[in-house]
Amino acid sequence: MISRRRLMLRTTIFRSEVTLVMLLVSAAGAVPAAVAQAAAKPTTYTIKAGDTLWSISANLLGDPFLWPQIYRLNTDVVEDPHWIYPGEVLNLVATPDTKAVPAQETPAPNMEPAPASKPKPDRPAVVPQVTMPDEGPQGPPTDSLFMRRRGMDARSALRTYRDQVYRPLRRGEFYSAGFLTENEPLSRGKVLGATTPLDIKATTEGPSIFLFSSIAIRPPEGAQYQANDTLLLFQEFDGPRDHGARLFPTGLARVTGQSGAETIATVIAVYSAIRGGQFVLPAEKFVQGGTTRAQPIASGVSGTVIGEQSVRELKQIQNFLFIDVGRKDGVAPGDIFEIRRRPGIRSEGASTIDELMGTLQVIRVRDHSATVKVLNLVSPDVPTGALVRQVAKLPS
């Protein structure tokens, strides 16, 4: 009598053999299918109207970024990947007579559809150019998830900077630069908030108001803003002694209409967080300041640094400072000042000497003060009381 253990062993071996046979049969059937599928892939392709190397690579190779592979296999047909024509036959796999890949770097392909006919473009004398690497077409294939931009000639990329007209003063810097009130009474309006309430209530100091938001403003007593008026939104802080309050701009708004006693405006610029409770003034008119650079002068006015728009221990380029000379001293927007270190004796080290600490440009001017932008810095530890000297003026 066969023991139960030997019977189980035989049964297990028999089942394993059957399973192995079934796997081999399945694999044998799968191999011809895979071979047939590989054989079914075309080895050549005839270009049709509307084709590009990008689209051909996407459709036949499954990846549009493999277009250089097709180009390298067809340098005897495609002289320039920017120009392919209906009727040309492209190899998709290497053949014995495939030419070597050109020595120079592969140029970017043309992403424009192939024309209906095959007009050869006029070929003027070749002018050497530096070209940027291609970043793909303006529109992706239907199966692509990402959009890529067409490559750009380096000269075109730099044209914005090379051909731009020099402007000594900039509108955005003018309106974002704070100023001192010089104790002048100003009729301030008040920002009441956005006209559309937030879905989720703010739990901090109040919700921020974003660009293009519609806001409600309460004009000063007895005053009214008119449609298309531009308003400066700002916060107000204590300023330097004898120079009034320090106004810190947060944005600009343009009046669009009225709602009862409230003025409705649209935020058109944001310089810092805008919130309800901030103040409003009619925006001063910005004067362009010509297109010429400031010219050196021999004996300009001198003054001192009396404060800064945002308190920082170490100053940085583009920071705004306040100086104690202004319109009554002949200072005008665009003027250039130097910051000079004051000579003095120090108990802990060598005495300081008169030396350059940085350069400043005047952005806003009041009667007895001016707002200046830091252009360059040699020493960032510019203290309140540092000397400033006018060294250049814009031609009048």
Side-chain angles (χ1 to χ4, degrees), residues 6-19:
R6 293 178 62 189
L7 179 60
M8 291 177 63
L9 181 60
R10 288 184 178 180
T11 303
T12 302
I13 294 173
F14 174 74
R15 289 177 179 172
S16 300
E17 291 175 348
V18 172
T19 303

Side-chain angles (χ1 to χ4, degrees), residues 102-228:
Q104 68 271 21
E105 183 180 353
T106 303
N110 182 32
M111 297 311 164
E112 299 295 335
S117 59
K118 187 178 179 179
K120 287 293 184 181
D122 294 335
R123 296 189 179 182
V126 176
V127 179
Q129 290 185 342
V130 179
T131 56
M132 301 294 288
D134 176 66
E135 296 187 53
Q138 290 179 331
T142 54
D143 58 343
S144 176
L145 296 177
F146 304 99
M147 215 174 201
R148 296 174 67 83
R149 296 178 301 171
R150 182 183 306 211
M152 180 182 296
D153 184 277
R155 297 177 185 177
S156 300
L158 295 175
R159 186 174 297 127
T160 300
Y161 303 96
R162 183 187 63 197
D163 299 338
Q164 188 173 14
V165 176
Y166 172 75
R167 300 290 184 188
L169 300 171
R170 296 173 177 82
R171 183 182 303 272
E173 290 178 347
F174 175 78
Y175 287 118
S176 62
F179 57 93
L180 304 175
T181 64
E182 298 185 353
N183 297 312
E184 178 186 351
L186 302 175
S187 298
R188 304 166 177 80
K190 189 172 184 179
V191 177
L192 301 179
T195 56
T196 302
L198 295 178
D199 296 326
I200 301 176
K201 301 298 183 184
T203 58
T204 56
E205 55 184 313
S208 294
I209 297 172
F210 303 105
L211 188 65
F212 303 128
S213 295
S214 178
I215 60 175
I217 296 171
R218 185 173 64 211
E221 186 72 26
Q224 187 175 11
Y225 300 125
Q226 303 298 320
N228 295 321

Side-chain angles (χ1 to χ4, degrees), residues 182 301-302 323-332 335 337 362 364-371 390 393:
E182 298 185 353
V301 298
S302 298
I323 60 177
D324 63 355
V325 287
R327 192 178 296 114
K328 295 291 182 67
D329 304 293
V331 176
D335 289 356
F337 279 76
V362 177
R364 276 182 176 268
V365 179
R366 306 281 288 171
D367 284 345
H368 303 288
S369 63
T371 305
Q390 186 184 37
K393 288 186 68 68

Side-chain angles (χ1 to χ4, degrees), residues 60-80:
L60 299 183
L61 302 184
D63 187 344
F65 295 101
L66 295 179
W67 67 264
Q69 177 177 320
I70 299 177
Y71 169 64
R72 293 188 184 103
L73 294 175
N74 295 277
T75 55
D76 57 337
V77 176
V78 181
E79 297 178 9
D80 185 338

